[in-house]
Amino acid sequence: MKTHKVEVGDVTRELPIVPVAPGVSVALFNMLGDTEVTEAAGRELARLLPPEVDVLVTPEVKALGLAHVISRESGKPYVVIRKTEKPYMVDPVAREVVSITTGKPQLLVLDGFDVPKIRGHKVAIVDDVVSSGGTLHSLRQIIEEVGGEVAAVVAVFTEGQERPEVTALGHLPLFE
Ligand SMILES: Nc1ncnc2[nH]cnc12
């Protein structure tokens, strides 16, 4: 299998190159269960977080451990935007998004219970890879709809096009 080598802080990984759509392959970065990479990336990104940020917001599920480490290192709390609406949610706020890795529409759902943690606050969006920007766009809409201000976007990698608005530790190419 073809791979693409990346460095995250002092950790290196060979990412498998996998097809996700006709004619498009990605260097698959899955930090779930990878304690070393999650810790290394979280520590680096916490140092790059603008001081004015009050709260971190992350979509479930691949960046969850990353948000935990950035939260622990920075002392800032984090809110998880879920992929499904749960029966216990209070007045959920939802947006649809099409992910590059699944090609299918997905939901992003904020529990109304978490709205006070975002409203009137400066938010940093935390994600593993910012690629097409679809997830980012929907997260922004949800955060702004409930009165939060997106002050930063931090990710381990950007992918494909350059994204100057994203603070990232590296960039992944797209493959044919
Ligand atoms: N290269 C990648 N690895 C993991 N998740 C992704 N989402 C978009 N691009 C990705």
Side-chain angles (χ1 to χ4, degrees):
M1 183 194 288
K2 285 202 175 146
T3 61
H4 177 74
K5 186 174 176 179
V6 293
E7 291 179 3
V8 178
D10 54 359
V11 184
T12 58
R13 290 287 181 270
E14 293 281 347
L15 306 184
I17 297 175
V18 300
V20 290
V24 186
S25 294
V26 300
L28 192 70
F29 177 63
N30 186 354
M31 61 197 309
L32 276 180
D34 192 333
T35 310
E36 265 189 349
V37 165
T38 303
E39 287 284 334
R43 281 197 306 266
E44 288 289 311
L45 288 174
R47 291 197 305 116
L48 300 174
L49 209 57
E52 68 267 22
V53 165
D54 304 306
V55 61
L56 315 171
V57 169
T58 194
E60 76 167 327
V61 62
K62 293 210 311 304
L64 203 50
L66 178 68
H68 172 98
V69 175
I70 298 175
S71 171
R72 186 195 67 210
E73 293 289 314
S74 65
K76 301 178 199 276
Y78 71 100
V79 169
V80 182
I81 308 257
R82 306 300 304 268
K83 291 253 163 77
T84 56
E85 190 176 325
K86 309 291 177 192
Y88 55 74
M89 287 181 173
V90 189
D91 299 332
V93 181
R95 280 286 180 289
E96 215 173 62
V97 62
V98 179
S99 139
I100 185 179
T101 43
T102 64
K104 296 193 192 115
Q106 288 184 330
L107 267 188
L108 290 174
V109 190
L110 172 67
D111 187 347
F113 179 79
D114 289 324
V115 166
K117 301 174 192 167
I118 294 177
R119 177 173 293 143
H121 290 107
K122 292 197 180 347
V123 174
I125 293 174
V126 175
D127 211 347
D128 53 350
V129 182
V130 175
S131 187
S132 64
T135 301
L136 192 57
H137 181 71
S138 298
L139 287 172
R140 265 187 203 279
Q141 284 187 329
I142 291 173
I143 290 163
E144 286 168 8
E145 179 172 333
V146 304
E149 181 194 332
V150 177
V153 182
V154 301
V156 186
F157 294 111
T158 49
E159 181 176 60
Q161 68 186 94
E162 301 234 329
R163 295 206 167 263
E165 79 277 24
V166 180
T167 299
L169 302 180
H171 184 78
L172 299 173
L174 286 171
F175 300 83
E176 301 258 305

